[in-house]
């Protein structure tokens, strides 16, 4: 696709132009796309202005001195409440009057496209079109009541006398009065008439009609400030705030239309998250429930600290609860629950299974208890004996400051030297040069691993205790019952454990400022205690980092829109010019976005920047890992994620992934696999992450961006032999910065062209002989394993004889039934043929599809055909109730060849073994009934590998037999009857797969046999009627093919022992089949060491082999620009949920090698994104 692909296609442009005016005005639909009567527009205008009219009545009465201000508010509110109820009841009446009964649905975007046929000004269709009504009765009453309150308070808020007192300007009063009522009318219309679709969309569906409450809520916020100003003591701050908010009130429609103000659900989640992180020292949570619970507990802790009477008690309380709340409480509770279950369990196996969990839980509990004890002792002793001295260059608190500064520098250095790039700019000279193999890398990584261990100790144990020492010595803690002390110190005492690195940086900044500024009259020293200073520094640090990250993102979009030729549109030059001219405004937008901690939204990912609405750090409303576009490739991610999580645990603990905070994004790459990692929460010695797997079937856009990712990683990790020390990062400015490589146990994927192997006449000539050998080995192994289920050969022989005696009297017809199934034609096989069947297809339809599931084929009932004029006879001894198959065999079917009557009555001869133990290795009876000529049996007897057969029997041990003769194996080898059974069984399978001719199979036939897609034949029809034998034959053929490939690659097999080793390795360590098989996915999850599959490319006419090998390999990891991801996800949310631009070829999903736009869209949560795998929250311990 070219760069000038339309941002919105013609249909979506028309749809957007109809929807956006509706959003701006709060719901009225003045642009319909079809001709509507004038009264439709007039009615909407009247309803839009109704709150203004009702409020104007109260305003007029107040201005004339007839009523008090609060009475006018009550009057206007009451009138609006009654009006809203009448309107809602009108809609209910119109719906009941309609002949067609319709079920109310969740609001659908397609309803904007429906054309209505209007009959009159107040007809039912008109009412339903203008006033869609509420889904729930309770909302009908609640929204009506809320509309009345809003109109009453809005009237009070916009009284002209009140506005004049604020501004003392008649012109300003008129402007605020007029446009203020426009704002209220917009809010009322959206609440009670027709809810507009908001540009700030967080949820895909508005199930509980919360969207209607959004605009009234923000109006109530402005009114609340005005009410506080009215009834509170006159304060200059409240008055100035009220004046500013009255002006901003006029711009609320603009803020709503631009999507800057968040929906209520996003607002409350974002607010709790910000208060928890920056006000209470906590961490963002991975779910809404955990966020709410943690917020309430943390707020309760801060409030409780206010009422503690002694300073020592406050110190101990803050230190203890700060440590406890920073732990992974959900996992500790999980471990405790399983500990209790294991104590109550009576099963020994269950106790053994839970043993490791108990041991791990107690070890962690003792560690946490020890750390907490030492922290409480340290805080109490230092505060009690050295906490009353003022800060000076030689005071104990200053000494603690020096220690913290040294610790910060050391930890910062230890973190940076573990990454491949220093500051993301220069190549780290200490990083291993050769990272192509695990062994070499791990050998060179040992020094950095020691560095990581030292840093982990400093971060986990040394730094928190040093910071507690600094805080315990602060004089601000002497001021009991101070709100600022409770908030500030509760926060920092928790941050010491929750965000150790950030807390260390904040304390160092505050201590340096305290050392440089000793003037006690300065505002910084006079008005603020240490806790509030740390709070302000923490907020400033976070917003500054966000500002720089957003600025880098904006500059990357501006530059690449011109430097990347495929991104250069006709409008690019104009947009860049406008951004340069209005760069101060762009900086203002970035600053506001950083201040609100909201994403910077690039519209359609063009250099058109808007301020996105604030939302939680995880960006999506649904539970983590709840949805993914699962496909056959998902299993590769399911297999590797546990090992990847262990590797991530070590990397995060050591610091080789840089400063990982909640909201950090990482991208991992290995061959065709891309893993997207999002850090969701973090605390003391734990980190919660979500891992997503992106699709493996690369589209052109996916492939272009994945190729750029490979280039970046190769430049960082593999092209080091020609680089210099401190060489620059050639991809600086890209949103992906390489960090390190991780050893992960996963499958490497190798695909080879089998030309020269599968089409080699020499290889194909030996294929049948090898197949016979493999099949003999497989049949012997099958019968040997089956014999282990029998108690003794005597019992088996006795049961066998009993079964023959039982069937000898009346089982002649049943004995002949297998012979009937082996005839050249049968009715059920005729039914499978159609005129559309093609015997030359590689994958014939019809019977071949059925054969893919032999169990299903065997379970399919055969149809009983009743032929007019036919006579059905019943022999003596045959039961009255016969199966449809028996009746079918006795029917005279027209068109079928005549069958000898005597042949029907044939009974399989009883096999007489010369060794009584041969019964253990006997082939099942139903496998001996293949319709093969006697000449072919004699021919197979000559080709049968007797030496190989004897060698296989000699390998059997029969350990499961309690009593066995010493010459057992020799007797088995001499038993000709047993050998004849195997000859017949092998011939039956060869007859099914290859037919009766002895020609060398063609490569296409080999491929069909491997996939189970052989064209129909009499032998195959018989073989598929024995599902278990068919599966053994298919498995033997696949082993034979793999053996052919190995012989061609590694050389011929020297002896029988080597051949057995090959086959045992295939059986134990390999899965040989098809990628589409369910067993393939199970083998991947069970971590079979090797998997092999045969494929065919019909376009190129080549056969390919695919080998998966399980081994520990290096996965490359890079850190993504967090704000670039959040910004693109914000645009995706706006574009799909509001503009409904779901075109698969839209501009914003095209490849962008710098922004990784296509990959970022894939990594979004469904339904907007489409990762094929998404894990639940993974708790990674970091100690």
């Amino acid at each position: 696709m070219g760069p000038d692909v339309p941002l919105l296609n013609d249909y979506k442009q028309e749809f957007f132009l109809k929807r956006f005016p509706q959003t701006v005005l709060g719901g009225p639909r003045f642009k319909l796309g079809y001709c509507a009567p004038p009264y439709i527009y007039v009615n909407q205008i009247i309803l839009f202005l109704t709150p203004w009219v009702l409020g104007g009545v109260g305003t007029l009465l107040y201005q004339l001195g007839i009523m008090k201000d609060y009475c006018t508010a009550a009057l206007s509110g009451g009138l609006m409440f009654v009006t809203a109820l009448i309107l809602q009841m009108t809609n209910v009446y119109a719906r009941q009057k309609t002949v067609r009964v319709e079920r109310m649905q969740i609001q659908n975007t397609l309803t904007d496209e429906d054309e209505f046929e209007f009959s009159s000004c107040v007809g039912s269709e008109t009412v339903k079109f203008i006033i869609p009504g509420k889904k729930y009765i309770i909302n009908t009453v609640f929204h009506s009541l809320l509309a009345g309150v809003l109109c009453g308070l809005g009237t009070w808020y916009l009284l002209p006398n009140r506005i004049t007192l604020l501004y003392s300007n008649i012109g300003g009063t008129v402007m605020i009065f007029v446009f203020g009522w426009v704002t209220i009318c917009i809010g009322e219309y959206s609440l009670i008439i027709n809810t507009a679709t908001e540009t700030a969309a967080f949820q895909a569906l508005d199930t509980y009609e919360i969207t209607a409450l959004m605009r009234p809520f923000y109006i109530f916020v402005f009114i609340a400030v005005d009410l506080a100003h009215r009834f509170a003591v006159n304060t200059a701050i409240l008055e100035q705030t009220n004046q500013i908010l009255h002006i901003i009130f006029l711009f609320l429609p603009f803020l709503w239309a631009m999507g800057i103000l968040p929906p209520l659900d996003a607002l409350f989640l974002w607010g709790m998250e910000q208060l928890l992180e920056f006000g209470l020292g906590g961490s963002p949570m991975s779910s809404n429930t955990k966020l709410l619970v943690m917020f309430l507990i943390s707020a309760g802790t801060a409030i409780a600290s206010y009422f503690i009477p002694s300073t020592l008690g406050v110190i101990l309380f803050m230190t203890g609860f700060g440590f406890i709340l920073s732990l992974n409480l959900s996992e500790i509770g999980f471990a405790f629950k399983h500990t209790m279950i294991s104590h109550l369990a009576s099963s020994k196996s269950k106790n053994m299974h839970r043993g490791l969990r108990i041991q791990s839980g107690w070890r962690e509990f003792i560690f946490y208890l020890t750390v907490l004890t030492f922290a409480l002792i340290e805080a109490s002793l230092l505060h009690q004996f050295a906490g009353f001295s003022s800060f000076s260059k030689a005071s104990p608190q200053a000494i603690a400051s020096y220690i913290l500064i040294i610790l910060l520098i050391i930890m910062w250095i230890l973190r940076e030297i573990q990454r491949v790039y220093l500051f993301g700019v220069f190549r780290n000279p200490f990083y291993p040069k050769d990272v192509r193999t695990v062994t070499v890398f791990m050998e060179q990584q040992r020094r950095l691993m020691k560095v990581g261990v030292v840093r982990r100790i400093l971060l986990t144990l040394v730094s928190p205790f040093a910071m507690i020492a600094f805080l315990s010595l602060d004089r601000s803690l002497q001021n009991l019952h101070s709100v600022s002390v409770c908030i500030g110190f509760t926060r920092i005492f928790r941050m010491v454990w929750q965000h150790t690195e950030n807390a260390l940086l904040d304390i160092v900044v505050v201590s340096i400022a305290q050392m440089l500024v000793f003037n006690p009259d300065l505002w910084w020293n006079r008005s603020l205690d240490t806790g509030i200073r740390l709070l302000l520094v923490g907020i400033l640090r976070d917003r500054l980092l966000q500002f720089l990250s957003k600025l880098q993102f904006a500059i990357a979009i501006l530059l690449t829109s011109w430097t990347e030729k495929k991104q250069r549109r006709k409008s690019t030059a104009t947009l860049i010019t406008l951004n340069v001219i209005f760069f101060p405004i762009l900086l203002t937008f970035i600053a506001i976005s950083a201040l609100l901690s909201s994403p910077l939204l690039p519209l359609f990912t063009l250099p058109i920047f808007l301020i996105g609405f604030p939302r939680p750090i995880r960006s999506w409303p649904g539970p983590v890992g709840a949805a993914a576009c699962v496909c056959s490739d998902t299993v590769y991610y399911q297999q590797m994620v546990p090992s990847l999580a262990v590797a991530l645990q070590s990397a995060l603990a050591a610091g080789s992934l840089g400063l990982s905070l909640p909201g950090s994004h990482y991208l991992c790459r290995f061959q065709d696999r891309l893993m997207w990692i999002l850090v969701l929460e973090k605390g003391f010695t734990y980190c919660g992450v979500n891992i997503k797997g992106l699709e493996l079937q690369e589209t052109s856009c996916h492939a272009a961006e994945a190729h750029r990712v490979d280039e970046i990683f190769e430049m960082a990790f593999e092209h080091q032999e020609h680089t210099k020390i401190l060489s620059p990062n050639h991809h600086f400015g890209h949103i992906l910065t390489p960090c390190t490589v991780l050893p992960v146990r996963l499958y490497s994927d190798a695909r080879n062209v089998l030309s020269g192997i599968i089409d080699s006449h020499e290889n194909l000539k030996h294929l049948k002989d090898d197949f016979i050998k493999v099949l003999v080995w497989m049949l012997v192994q099958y019968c040997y394993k089956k014999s282990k289920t029998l108690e003794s050969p005597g019992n088996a022989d006795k049961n066998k004889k009993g079964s023959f005696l039982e069937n000898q009297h009346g089982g002649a017809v049943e004995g002949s039934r297998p012979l009937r199934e082996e005839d050249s034609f049968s009715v059920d096989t005729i039914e499978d043929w159609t005129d559309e069947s093609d015997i030359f297809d590689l994958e014939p339809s019809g019977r071949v599809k059925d054969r893919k599931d032999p169990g299903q084929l065997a379970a399919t009932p055969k149809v009983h055909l009743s032929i007019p004029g036919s006579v059905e006879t019943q022999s003596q001894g045959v039961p009255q109730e016969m199966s449809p198959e028996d009746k079918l065999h006795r029917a005279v079917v027209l068109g079928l060849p005549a069958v000898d009557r005597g042949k029907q009555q044939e009974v399989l001869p009883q096999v007489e073994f010369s060794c009584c133990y041969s019964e253990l290795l006997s082939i099942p009876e139903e496998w001996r009934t293949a319709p093969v000529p006697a000449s072919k049996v004699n021919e197979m007897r000559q080709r049968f590998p007797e030496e190989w057969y004897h060698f296989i029997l000699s390998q059997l041990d029969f350990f499961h037999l309690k009593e066995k003769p010493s010459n057992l194996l020799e007797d088995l080898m001499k038993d000709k009857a047993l050998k004849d059974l195997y000859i017949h069984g092998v011939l039956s399978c060869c007859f099914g797969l290859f037919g009766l001719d002895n020609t060398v199979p063609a490569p296409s036939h080999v491929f069909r046999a491997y996939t189970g897609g052989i064209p129909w034949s009499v032998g195959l029809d018989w073989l598929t009627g024995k599902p278990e034998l068919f599966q053994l034959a298919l498995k033997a053929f696949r082993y034979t093919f793999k053996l052919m490939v190995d012989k061609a690659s590694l050389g011929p097999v020297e002896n029988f022992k080597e051949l057995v080793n090959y086959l045992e390795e295939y059986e134990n360590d390999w899965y040989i089949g098809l990628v589409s098989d369910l067993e393939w996915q199970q083998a991947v999850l069970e971590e079979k060491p090797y998997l092999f599959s045969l494929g065919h490319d019909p376009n190129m006419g080549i056969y390919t082999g695919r080998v998966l090998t399980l081994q520990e390999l290096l996965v490359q990891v890079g850190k993504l620009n967090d704000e670039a991801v959040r910004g693109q996800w914000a645009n995706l949310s706006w574009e799909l949920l509001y503009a409904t631009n779901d075109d698969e070829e839209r501009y914003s999903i095209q490849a962008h090698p710098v922004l990784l736009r296509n990959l970022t869209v894939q990594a979004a949560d469904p339904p907007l994104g489409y990762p094929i795998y998404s894990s639940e929250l993974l708790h990674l311990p970091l100690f």
Side-chain angles (χ1 to χ4, degrees), residues 601-619:
L601 193 154
L603 200 62
F604 299 106
T605 64
L606 291 171
I608 305 172
F609 299 101
L610 302 175
I611 302 172
F613 66 87
R615 65 198 79 191
I617 201 71
R618 63 182 187 271
S619 295

Side-chain angles (χ1 to χ4, degrees), residues 84 143 190 570 575 674 811 816 893 895 902 910 956 962 1018 1042:
H143 290 184
S190 181
K570 295 177 181 178
L575 292 175
L674 281 163
S816 68
V893 183
Q910 183 176 353
L956 304 180
K962 297 179 181 179
V1018 176
K1042 181 65 174 66

Side-chain angles (χ1 to χ4, degrees), residues 34-89:
Y34 56 91
C35 185
Y39 55 77
I40 295 296
Y41 306 101
V42 173
N43 286 351
Q44 290 184 87
I45 294 173
I46 292 174
L47 291 175
F48 182 81
L49 297 176
T50 297
W52 197 345
V53 172
L54 299 179
V57 172
T59 302
L60 182 62
L61 294 176
Y62 172 73
Q63 292 297 119
L64 295 176
I66 299 176
M67 299 181 69
K68 298 290 185 182
D69 53 356
Y70 54 86
C71 294
T72 60
L75 175 64
S76 299
L79 292 174
M80 188 65 215
F81 172 64
V82 173
T83 305
L85 273 181
I86 292 174
L87 292 174
Q88 292 300 314
M89 292 302 108

Side-chain angles (χ1 to χ4, degrees), residues 769-1013:
D769 293 335
D770 288 341
F771 173 69
I772 293 173
K773 292 181 180 179
V774 174
L775 186 58
V776 169
W777 178 83
M778 197 158 287
L779 288 174
V780 171
Q781 293 297 320
Y782 171 82
C783 295
Y784 176 69
K785 291 177 182 177
K786 195 172 182 181
S787 71
K788 292 183 177 180
T789 60
L790 302 176
E791 294 182 4
S792 66
N795 289 345
D797 191 43
K798 182 179 178 180
N799 294 336
K800 195 70 178 178
K801 290 178 181 178
S803 63
F804 270 105
L805 291 172
E806 184 180 346
N807 293 332
Q808 200 167 9
H809 174 66
V813 176
E814 293 186 11
S816 68
R817 189 187 312 158
L819 297 176
R820 253 338 208 169
E821 293 175 0
E822 70 195 29
D823 290 339
S824 299
F825 294 93
S826 61
V827 174
D828 62 306
T829 58
I830 291 174
E831 291 172 353
D832 288 334
W833 284 101
T834 65
D835 293 336
E836 298 175 358
S837 300
D838 188 355
I839 63 173
F840 300 103
D841 287 342
L842 285 178
E843 293 287 344
S845 57
R847 291 194 62 78
V848 176
K849 291 183 179 178
D850 292 340
R851 284 200 300 272
K852 290 183 179 178
D853 190 354
Q856 192 179 35
L857 182 138
T860 304
K862 297 185 179 179
V863 181
H864 168 48
L865 300 179
S866 179
I867 307 298
S870 63
V871 179
E872 297 184 3
T873 62
Q874 184 172 332
S875 301
Q876 185 180 3
V878 178
Q880 294 294 325
E881 292 295 331
M882 290 192 298
S883 64
E885 294 90 338
D886 297 330
K887 294 180 181 179
L888 180 60
H889 294 157
R890 294 183 175 277
V892 180
V893 183
L894 298 178
L896 295 185
V899 180
D900 185 11
R901 181 81 176 170
K903 188 177 179 181
Q904 283 188 3
Q905 303 299 329
E906 265 186 9
V907 180
L908 283 176
Q910 183 176 353
V911 180
E912 296 291 341
F913 295 112
S914 62
C915 175
C916 64
Y917 287 90
S918 296
E919 185 70 29
L920 295 175
L921 298 179
S922 174
I923 293 178
E925 259 185 63
E926 61 272 14
W927 293 5
R928 312 171 192 169
T929 60
V932 291
S935 60
K936 291 296 179 182
V937 175
N938 294 330
E939 183 180 334
M940 175 58 69
R941 187 173 284 113
Q942 295 176 359
R943 294 179 58 189
F944 187 76
E946 190 168 349
E947 294 182 2
W948 168 248
Y949 169 72
H950 290 164
F951 180 80
I952 295 174
L953 293 180
S954 68
Q955 301 297 307
L956 304 180
D957 48 37
F958 290 99
F959 286 150
H960 58 284
L961 298 181
K962 297 179 181 179
E963 297 179 0
K964 61 180 179 179
S966 58
N967 58 347
L968 171 61
L969 296 178
E970 295 179 5
D971 293 342
L972 289 174
M973 293 179 193
K974 294 177 182 178
D975 195 333
K976 293 183 178 181
L978 180 63
K979 186 179 77 170
D980 287 342
L981 286 182
Y982 279 95
I983 290 173
H984 201 88
V986 169
L987 179 59
S988 302
C989 295
C990 290
F991 176 47
L993 294 180
F994 298 106
L996 293 176
D997 55 349
N998 293 323
T999 59
V1000 176
S1004 60
H1005 185 88
V1006 172
F1007 177 75
R1008 290 171 179 172
Y1010 186 95
T1011 58

Side-chain angles (χ1 to χ4, degrees), residues 167 199 217 435 491 554 589 629 745 800 850 1143:
Y167 297 99
T199 52
F217 172 80
V435 294
R491 169 187 174 274
F589 278 16
C629 303
R745 184 174 172 81
K800 195 70 178 178
D850 292 340
D1143 187 356

Side-chain angles (χ1 to χ4, degrees), residues 51 54-56 58-59 62-63 67-77 148-164 166 176-177 181 184 219 222-224 226-231 242 246 249:
L54 299 179
T59 302
Y62 172 73
Q63 292 297 119
M67 299 181 69
K68 298 290 185 182
D69 53 356
Y70 54 86
C71 294
T72 60
L75 175 64
S76 299
V149 176
L150 179 63
C151 184
L153 293 178
T155 303
W156 206 2
Y157 184 72
L158 294 175
L159 288 176
N161 287 355
R162 177 66 180 174
I163 301 173
T164 304
L166 283 175
I176 291 175
F177 180 79
W181 268 110
I184 291 179
I219 294 175
F222 283 76
I223 293 174
D226 181 69
L227 292 177
H229 181 219
R230 286 174 185 265
F231 297 107
N242 199 13
H246 267 79
F249 188 78

